[in-house]
PDB file of all heavy atoms in Angstrom:
ATOM      1  N   MET K1377       4.507 -44.656   7.660  1.00 91.00           N
ATOM      2  CA  MET K1377       5.866 -44.200   7.419  1.00 91.00           C
ATOM      3  C   MET K1377       6.787 -45.407   7.287  1.00 91.00           C
ATOM      4  O   MET K1377       7.412 -45.823   8.253  1.00 91.00           O
ATOM      5  CB  MET K1377       6.326 -43.290   8.563  1.00 91.00           C
ATOM      6  CG  MET K1377       5.594 -41.965   8.576  1.00 91.00           C
ATOM      7  SD  MET K1377       6.232 -40.826   9.784  1.00 91.00           S
ATOM      8  CE  MET K1377       5.283 -41.263  11.206  1.00 91.00           C
ATOM      9  N   PRO K1378       6.855 -45.977   6.084  1.00 91.00           N
ATOM     10  CA  PRO K1378       7.675 -47.183   5.906  1.00 91.00           C
ATOM     11  C   PRO K1378       9.148 -46.927   6.200  1.00 91.00           C
ATOM     12  O   PRO K1378       9.682 -45.869   5.862  1.00 91.00           O
ATOM     13  CB  PRO K1378       7.469 -47.549   4.437  1.00 91.00           C
ATOM     14  CG  PRO K1378       6.881 -46.350   3.797  1.00 91.00           C
ATOM     15  CD  PRO K1378       6.186 -45.565   4.847  1.00 91.00           C
ATOM     16  N   ASP K1379       9.784 -47.893   6.835  1.00 89.00           N
ATOM     17  CA  ASP K1379      11.176 -47.739   7.242  1.00 89.00           C
ATOM     18  C   ASP K1379      12.114 -47.828   6.047  1.00 89.00           C
ATOM     19  O   ASP K1379      11.842 -48.549   5.097  1.00 89.00           O
ATOM     20  CB  ASP K1379      11.551 -48.855   8.233  1.00 89.00           C
ATOM     21  CG  ASP K1379      11.090 -48.511   9.628  1.00 89.00           C
ATOM     22  OD1 ASP K1379      11.174 -47.331   9.990  1.00 89.00           O
ATOM     23  OD2 ASP K1379      10.627 -49.426  10.344  1.00 89.00           O
ATOM     24  N   PRO K1380      13.235 -47.107   6.115  1.00 89.00           N
ATOM     25  CA  PRO K1380      14.273 -47.331   5.106  1.00 89.00           C
ATOM     26  C   PRO K1380      14.959 -48.682   5.334  1.00 89.00           C
ATOM     27  O   PRO K1380      14.678 -49.367   6.317  1.00 89.00           O
ATOM     28  CB  PRO K1380      15.235 -46.174   5.301  1.00 89.00           C
ATOM     29  CG  PRO K1380      15.001 -45.688   6.679  1.00 89.00           C
ATOM     30  CD  PRO K1380      13.600 -46.036   7.037  1.00 89.00           C
ATOM     31  N   ARG K1381      15.866 -49.018   4.444  1.00 86.00           N
ATOM     32  CA  ARG K1381      16.599 -50.270   4.546  1.00 86.00           C
ATOM     33  C   ARG K1381      17.290 -50.340   5.902  1.00 86.00           C
ATOM     34  O   ARG K1381      17.897 -49.370   6.354  1.00 86.00           O
ATOM     35  CB  ARG K1381      17.642 -50.307   3.432  1.00 86.00           C
ATOM     36  CG  ARG K1381      18.398 -51.590   3.321  1.00 86.00           C
ATOM     37  CD  ARG K1381      19.236 -51.550   2.046  1.00 86.00           C
ATOM     38  NE  ARG K1381      19.922 -52.807   1.822  1.00 86.00           N
ATOM     39  CZ  ARG K1381      21.195 -53.017   2.157  1.00 86.00           C
ATOM     40  NH1 ARG K1381      21.887 -52.066   2.731  1.00 86.00           N
ATOM     41  NH2 ARG K1381      21.749 -54.175   1.912  1.00 86.00           N
ATOM     42  N   ALA K1382      17.176 -51.512   6.542  1.00 83.00           N
ATOM     43  CA  ALA K1382      17.730 -51.661   7.892  1.00 83.00           C
ATOM     44  C   ALA K1382      19.234 -51.421   7.876  1.00 83.00           C
ATOM     45  O   ALA K1382      19.937 -51.842   6.961  1.00 83.00           O
ATOM     46  CB  ALA K1382      17.437 -53.055   8.419  1.00 83.00           C
TER      47      ALA K1382
ATOM     48  N   ARG U1026       9.452 -41.198   0.464  1.00 96.00           N
ATOM     49  CA  ARG U1026       8.939 -42.483   0.940  1.00 96.00           C
ATOM     50  C   ARG U1026      10.091 -43.483   0.897  1.00 96.00           C
ATOM     51  O   ARG U1026      10.586 -43.823  -0.184  1.00 96.00           O
ATOM     52  CB  ARG U1026       7.769 -42.965   0.082  1.00 96.00           C
ATOM     53  CG  ARG U1026       6.642 -41.956  -0.028  1.00 96.00           C
ATOM     54  CD  ARG U1026       6.071 -41.547   1.300  1.00 96.00           C
ATOM     55  NE  ARG U1026       5.255 -42.598   1.906  1.00 96.00           N
ATOM     56  CZ  ARG U1026       4.731 -42.511   3.110  1.00 96.00           C
ATOM     57  NH1 ARG U1026       4.935 -41.435   3.849  1.00 96.00           N
ATOM     58  NH2 ARG U1026       4.009 -43.491   3.598  1.00 96.00           N
ATOM     59  N   HIS U1027      10.484 -43.953   2.063  1.00 95.00           N
ATOM     60  CA  HIS U1027      11.731 -44.723   2.125  1.00 95.00           C
ATOM     61  C   HIS U1027      11.606 -46.164   1.677  1.00 95.00           C
ATOM     62  O   HIS U1027      12.606 -46.862   1.558  1.00 95.00           O
ATOM     63  CB  HIS U1027      12.327 -44.617   3.526  1.00 95.00           C
ATOM     64  CG  HIS U1027      12.840 -43.241   3.782  1.00 95.00           C
ATOM     65  ND1 HIS U1027      13.990 -42.771   3.214  1.00 95.00           N
ATOM     66  CD2 HIS U1027      12.319 -42.206   4.471  1.00 95.00           C
ATOM     67  CE1 HIS U1027      14.168 -41.517   3.575  1.00 95.00           C
ATOM     68  NE2 HIS U1027      13.163 -41.146   4.325  1.00 95.00           N
ATOM     69  N   ASP U1028      10.367 -46.622   1.431  1.00 93.00           N
ATOM     70  CA  ASP U1028      10.252 -47.944   0.821  1.00 93.00           C
ATOM     71  C   ASP U1028      10.511 -47.853  -0.688  1.00 93.00           C
ATOM     72  O   ASP U1028      10.760 -48.867  -1.333  1.00 93.00           O
ATOM     73  CB  ASP U1028       8.871 -48.549   1.104  1.00 93.00           C
ATOM     74  CG  ASP U1028       7.744 -47.587   0.756  1.00 93.00           C
ATOM     75  OD1 ASP U1028       8.001 -46.374   0.666  1.00 93.00           O
ATOM     76  OD2 ASP U1028       6.610 -48.054   0.582  1.00 93.00           O
ATOM     77  N   ARG U1029      10.434 -46.643  -1.231  1.00 93.00           N
ATOM     78  CA  ARG U1029      10.662 -46.464  -2.660  1.00 93.00           C
ATOM     79  C   ARG U1029      11.990 -45.796  -2.967  1.00 93.00           C
ATOM     80  O   ARG U1029      12.594 -46.022  -4.018  1.00 93.00           O
ATOM     81  CB  ARG U1029       9.549 -45.599  -3.271  1.00 93.00           C
ATOM     82  CG  ARG U1029       8.217 -46.296  -3.260  1.00 93.00           C
ATOM     83  CD  ARG U1029       7.090 -45.318  -3.543  1.00 93.00           C
ATOM     84  NE  ARG U1029       5.815 -45.935  -3.250  1.00 93.00           N
ATOM     85  CZ  ARG U1029       5.129 -46.667  -4.116  1.00 93.00           C
ATOM     86  NH1 ARG U1029       5.598 -46.849  -5.319  1.00 93.00           N
ATOM     87  NH2 ARG U1029       3.985 -47.219  -3.770  1.00 93.00           N
ATOM     88  N   ALA U1052      19.457 -42.429   9.649  1.00 80.00           N
ATOM     89  CA  ALA U1052      18.430 -43.316   9.099  1.00 80.00           C
ATOM     90  C   ALA U1052      17.377 -43.724  10.123  1.00 80.00           C
ATOM     91  O   ALA U1052      16.338 -44.260   9.750  1.00 80.00           O
ATOM     92  CB  ALA U1052      19.095 -44.559   8.520  1.00 80.00           C
ATOM     93  N   ASN U1053      17.617 -43.455  11.404  1.00 75.00           N
ATOM     94  CA  ASN U1053      16.601 -43.857  12.373  1.00 75.00           C
ATOM     95  C   ASN U1053      15.528 -42.782  12.569  1.00 75.00           C
ATOM     96  O   ASN U1053      14.589 -42.980  13.320  1.00 75.00           O
ATOM     97  CB  ASN U1053      17.245 -44.228  13.711  1.00 75.00           C
ATOM     98  CG  ASN U1053      17.956 -43.055  14.323  1.00 75.00           C
ATOM     99  OD1 ASN U1053      18.283 -42.086  13.634  1.00 75.00           O
ATOM    100  ND2 ASN U1053      18.194 -43.121  15.613  1.00 75.00           N
ATOM    101  N   PRO U1055      13.772 -41.009   9.746  1.00 88.00           N
ATOM    102  CA  PRO U1055      13.692 -40.685   8.331  1.00 88.00           C
ATOM    103  C   PRO U1055      12.616 -39.668   7.951  1.00 88.00           C
ATOM    104  O   PRO U1055      12.725 -39.015   6.937  1.00 88.00           O
ATOM    105  CB  PRO U1055      13.408 -42.033   7.676  1.00 88.00           C
ATOM    106  CG  PRO U1055      12.805 -42.868   8.733  1.00 88.00           C
ATOM    107  CD  PRO U1055      13.270 -42.352  10.043  1.00 88.00           C
ATOM    108  N   TYR U1056      11.583 -39.527   8.784  1.00 91.00           N
ATOM    109  CA  TYR U1056      10.463 -38.670   8.360  1.00 91.00           C
ATOM    110  C   TYR U1056      10.397 -37.395   9.182  1.00 91.00           C
ATOM    111  O   TYR U1056      10.748 -37.371  10.364  1.00 91.00           O
ATOM    112  CB  TYR U1056       9.141 -39.424   8.487  1.00 91.00           C
ATOM    113  CG  TYR U1056       9.063 -40.580   7.511  1.00 91.00           C
ATOM    114  CD1 TYR U1056       9.477 -41.853   7.883  1.00 91.00           C
ATOM    115  CD2 TYR U1056       8.624 -40.383   6.214  1.00 91.00           C
ATOM    116  CE1 TYR U1056       9.436 -42.902   6.993  1.00 91.00           C
ATOM    117  CE2 TYR U1056       8.578 -41.424   5.317  1.00 91.00           C
ATOM    118  CZ  TYR U1056       8.987 -42.680   5.702  1.00 91.00           C
ATOM    119  OH  TYR U1056       8.952 -43.713   4.811  1.00 91.00           O
ATOM    120  N   LYS U1064       8.417 -40.580  14.279  1.00 45.00           N
ATOM    121  CA  LYS U1064       7.979 -41.917  14.617  1.00 45.00           C
ATOM    122  C   LYS U1064       8.860 -42.563  15.667  1.00 45.00           C
ATOM    123  O   LYS U1064       8.429 -43.410  16.430  1.00 45.00           O
ATOM    124  CB  LYS U1064       8.042 -42.740  13.331  1.00 45.00           C
ATOM    125  CG  LYS U1064       7.440 -44.095  13.401  1.00 45.00           C
ATOM    126  CD  LYS U1064       7.714 -44.776  12.071  1.00 45.00           C
ATOM    127  CE  LYS U1064       7.200 -46.180  12.058  1.00 45.00           C
ATOM    128  NZ  LYS U1064       7.545 -46.847  10.808  1.00 45.00           N
ATOM    129  N   ASP U1065      10.103 -42.128  15.728  1.00 43.00           N
ATOM    130  CA  ASP U1065      11.052 -42.863  16.557  1.00 43.00           C
ATOM    131  C   ASP U1065      11.321 -42.202  17.896  1.00 43.00           C
ATOM    132  O   ASP U1065      12.154 -42.669  18.639  1.00 43.00           O
ATOM    133  CB  ASP U1065      12.347 -43.040  15.789  1.00 43.00           C
ATOM    134  CG  ASP U1065      12.093 -43.747  14.495  1.00 43.00           C
ATOM    135  OD1 ASP U1065      11.763 -43.069  13.507  1.00 43.00           O
ATOM    136  OD2 ASP U1065      12.173 -44.964  14.479  1.00 43.00           O
ATOM    137  N   ARG U1068      10.505 -44.683  20.251  1.00 38.00           N
ATOM    138  CA  ARG U1068      11.255 -45.916  20.131  1.00 38.00           C
ATOM    139  C   ARG U1068      12.563 -45.823  20.924  1.00 38.00           C
ATOM    140  O   ARG U1068      13.144 -46.806  21.315  1.00 38.00           O
ATOM    141  CB  ARG U1068      11.574 -46.179  18.662  1.00 38.00           C
ATOM    142  CG  ARG U1068      11.815 -47.640  18.358  1.00 38.00           C
ATOM    143  CD  ARG U1068      12.583 -47.776  17.072  1.00 38.00           C
ATOM    144  NE  ARG U1068      11.705 -47.885  15.908  1.00 38.00           N
ATOM    145  CZ  ARG U1068      12.154 -47.791  14.659  1.00 38.00           C
ATOM    146  NH1 ARG U1068      13.437 -47.544  14.440  1.00 38.00           N
ATOM    147  NH2 ARG U1068      11.343 -47.904  13.657  1.00 38.00           N
TER     148      ARG U1068
END
Side-chain angles (χ1 to χ4, degrees):
Chain K
M1377 291 186 272
D1379 278 322
R1381 185 171 184 262
Chain U
R1026 305 302 287 175
H1027 290 286
D1028 51 340
R1029 293 166 192 273
N1053 62 341
Y1056 293 92
K1064 189 185 177 184
D1065 303 86
R1068 204 200 270 169

